[in-house]
Amino acid sequence: MTRLLALLLCLLPATALAFGLEDLQRQLEATPSLEGRFVQTRHLADLDSQLESTGHFRYERDVRVVWTLETPVEERLEFSADSPPEVAAGDRRQAEAAALFLDLLQGHWQALEERFTLTLSGDASAWRVTLRPRQAALRQRIEEIRLRGGRYLERLALDAANGDRLRVRLSDQRAVEAGDATP
Amino acid sequence: MPPPDSRRRLLAGLWGTILLGCALLLGWLLRDGLPADTRLTAMLPEDRRAPLVERADDQLGQAFAERFVLLLDAPSLAEAAADLAATLQAAGGERPLLERLDWRASDLADGGPGERLGESRYRLLTGEVRRAIDADGGRSLVAPALRALFSPAAPADPVADPFGLRDRWLAARATSPVQARDGLLTVVDDDRSQALMIGHLAASPYDLAAQASLTSALDAFRASHPEATLTRSGLVFHAAAGARQARGEITTIGLGALAGLLGALLAVFRSPRAIAQMLLPLATGLLLALPLTLLLFGRLHLLTLAFGASLIGIAIDYALHLQCRRAVQGRHFRLPSLLPALALGLASSLVAYLAQALTPMPGLRQMAVFAALGLAGAWLTVVLWLPRLRLDAPPATARLARGWWRRTGPRGGLSPRLALVGLLLVVGLIAWRLDTDDSLALLNPSPAELLAEERALQALLGRDTGRRYLLVTAADEPRLLERLEGLGTTLDRWRDQGAGFTVHNLADSVPSPARQAADLERVRRLYDEPLAELVARAGLPPRTLDRARARLEAVPLLDVEAWLASPLGRHQRRLWLGESPDGVAALILLTDLPAGDAAEALDSRLQALADARPGVTYVDRAARLGRLLGELRGQIAGWLGGALALLALSLTWRYRGRTWRVLTPPLGGVLGVLGVYALAGVPLNVFSQLGLLLVLGIGLDAGIFGAEAEGRAATWLAISLSTLTSLLAFGLLAFSATPALHYLGLSCLIGLALVWCLVRWAAPGTETSPAETADADTP
């Protein structure tokens, strides 16, 4: 009995030290502004074909993400918590999708936890978060979302319920001073 | 022929048997409870031209009646909302208050826009897309479609919907301000989000038990969350407020009146037994009237019950006259000497009320029949039963009668010339200044704060119950939708020109087949060149093109039924009336209208629009109900005037030259009230006019009995008691906060006081002293 208790006591600091979602959020929040490059692959199950796009991005925490496409088309998309990108004006679904994308990029676990069950594995240098929808309505669209990263978020994978797969790879990331004007 | 006494005994027995039969019939009719009707419109004339308008009105009001909406504002919203929901769901215990409560985001989650909408998407274009295709074939739509394809935050479906037509169309439909947030349904007001709850009542909003459990549930919640604020909307809150007010007034005004009434009767008769005998006729009157009216009309309107029972109250006059005469004359009392006046009193009231039974107003007809039956029943009990019941008349009553007669006598009598001058003056005053008021505010006893909450909430939700609409009919659905579209175009143009209002039009969601066909053609153009460009620039495989185009082969038409069955279309069900005698019908609802002069200008513009087009009627619900109330008021006045003329003629037969004296108390009372209203600037409304009916009935009795030469002191005591009891019973209602009761009471208060003053003054030969013991034969 005493031995068991001692064992438990030994384990306690170990659990306290374990890498949790809060730690991860703190780690991500340490960088208020970030820029880098992206490669996005969309696999369309229905057509059995790939859509690949590349470009660079710049992201200001809690404000917005500017997503600049370079290939195959040149476009500038801006997502912010208040105004969704002008894909279809005023569409609530679009707004929700944009809000979800922002939450994923920023690691807003609290907001995400309302709609997804979250599981975290790994440590601060190599972590992995898996999200599964809680509600049936959302499960009809999204099967699973996986995030991977170290100091920054590096990979985002979204498996849609209809078989489509979205993969986003972020690279060459570096912190920037807020207000730095790099398009 | 049997002697008179045994004949009377036979009649009394017969009357008892009839009443027993009535009691049995009533018990049988009420085996499932009272079939009562509370709709105001059921009281009003059957507007034969507009049964569809009735249906539309009912449909628009239905949601308001069956549901209630709460907005909750609290610091920790999620917790407070969960508490409130739990409290409401537990309310009522065994008989739950709610059938359903929507409060979580998932309660209204739309579970996809529906299969049918997805299939019909190529026929449904927003104005923006339509204009884009018309402008350049749709090239300008390629860029946003590309953006969507490569955006990490947008669904991409290049085969089924490369241009996102469905999402664009749905986005234009979903205008509800309700948002899902933190798992709750919320509405944002000034940057604060408030939780929304929609309760679906299990019982009628008028159900007292339901009102009580809702009120106590909300009170309990407020007590445990003093920091939270609730905003309420729904008929149940107004009904509860009305019921609470009525209860409060019954305990103050009602009990006060009852105490005063019993006190006065006790002071005169000094015997509870005499008072019980006085109330017996009223009870038997109701016993006769209730089952027979139910049998004749099938159901009883609550207003009939309320006003009809009041009118039957006039029957206490007969009992008062009989008992007073018996108390004063003691053993010398003989019924036949009183019978002519009793008979005339009944006949005059019956004529006055039955005249209304001939009107086209079902409500009035029911009320008239109910009151007439009740009066007749009470009268029969007075004549057949009361003389047989022992009355211990103390000598004090007789003394009181004589003293009262002496002390309250006026100095001189009323001369015909003075009466005529007074009549002309008052009539002139009335014609010059009397206003009328038929506004619906009279029917709305809700406290101002509740009305303010109601307005605030409906404005926030953008869903007012809809007071103005265009009723549109056509032979079939396609033609109806075309008409709706035409009207929608005109209204949109008005709005572009600056007229501020919101239009709820079914044709915005379900375009006419012609427009759907035209839009499908547009999509075919869009899928030609522009789609090819999109596929090429996106680097999609060429087979995408063929597969996307193949989807345009057999696109089903979206019809009204499919739309209304979809989750989004559910909200528009109130706009669809469906089958009508001339085909099909629907509404265009107008909300958020301007106030004041702008509203009037818009009203006449809408009226002109409706007049200029076939199958379109413009309806302003408030104005229409007001007009119906006005009609009701006008009809009552007209028939009453006719009945009075008829009465005057028939009274001449008995009273000849003295007829004007008989008519002075009732007419003077009624005209006096109108004169006071004219002077004070109080507009006449349907309820003050119903009060005048009471004044007329009591005044007529007073005039008739007052004009009888015999038993003056006893008669005067009876008249005084009759006006006093009616004053207590109805006049005190003038202090009610419910507008309807207040106006009824005000008329009674002024009118009955005037009647009492006029009776002695107008009675013939007041200068001669009364001969109390004379038992003269009546002519």
Side-chain angles (χ1 to χ4, degrees), chain A residues 38 40 42 44 46-53 67 69 71-73 75-77 79 85-94 96-98 101 114 135 137 140 158 162 164 166 168, chain B residues 106 109-113 143-144 146-159 167-168 170-171 174-179 181-183 537-541 543-544 547 551:
Chain A
F38 69 82
Q40 175 183 315
R42 201 189 270 280
L44 298 166
D46 189 24
L47 283 168
D48 191 25
S49 64
Q50 306 264 4
L51 285 177
E52 198 178 83
S53 54
W67 199 256
L69 287 164
T71 61
V73 287
E75 283 285 355
R76 183 175 178 276
L77 305 173
F79 308 98
E86 315 221 326
V87 175
D91 185 347
R92 191 175 299 162
R93 268 166 201 264
Q94 297 285 4
E96 276 172 17
F101 182 61
E114 279 160 22
Q135 282 142 9
Q140 283 175 4
L158 187 149
N162 62 1
D164 287 3
L166 178 76
V168 180
Chain B
S106 52
D110 51 11
L146 268 175
R147 269 205 295 276
L149 268 183
F150 291 107
S151 162
D157 199 349
V159 172
D167 282 352
R168 281 169 182 268
L170 287 178
T175 50
S176 160
V178 181
Q179 300 173 0
R181 197 166 182 151
D182 303 348
R537 282 178 66 185
L540 284 162
R543 64 176 180 281
T544 317
R547 288 185 52 191
R551 295 251 178 163

Side-chain angles (χ1 to χ4, degrees), chain B residues 66-90:
Chain B
E66 290 170 353
R67 292 201 289 247
F68 65 85
V69 178
L70 289 172
L71 262 194
L72 170 68
D73 190 358
S76 50
L77 199 56
E79 246 172 74
D83 264 12
L84 179 58
T87 315
L88 285 172
Q89 275 159 340

Side-chain angles (χ1 to χ4, degrees), chain B residues 96-101 199-203:
Chain B
L97 167 70
L98 297 178
E99 193 181 279
R100 204 175 89 220
L101 181 72
H200 301 254
L201 289 169

Side-chain angles (χ1 to χ4, degrees), chain B residues 89-157:
Chain B
Q89 275 159 340
E94 291 285 295
R95 261 184 72 216
L97 167 70
L98 297 178
E99 193 181 279
R100 204 175 89 220
L101 181 72
D102 297 329
W103 67 285
R104 281 167 309 212
S106 52
D107 288 334
L108 287 188
D110 51 11
E115 197 64 19
R116 184 64 178 280
L117 284 182
E119 287 172 25
S120 302
R121 72 179 86 178
Y122 315 105
R123 289 182 179 275
L124 307 171
L125 298 184
T126 60
E128 200 189 350
V129 173
R130 194 177 295 133
R131 280 190 295 275
I133 298 176
D134 288 348
D136 59 0
R139 306 191 85 89
S140 59
L141 297 174
V142 175
L146 268 175
R147 269 205 295 276
L149 268 183
F150 291 107
S151 162
D157 199 349

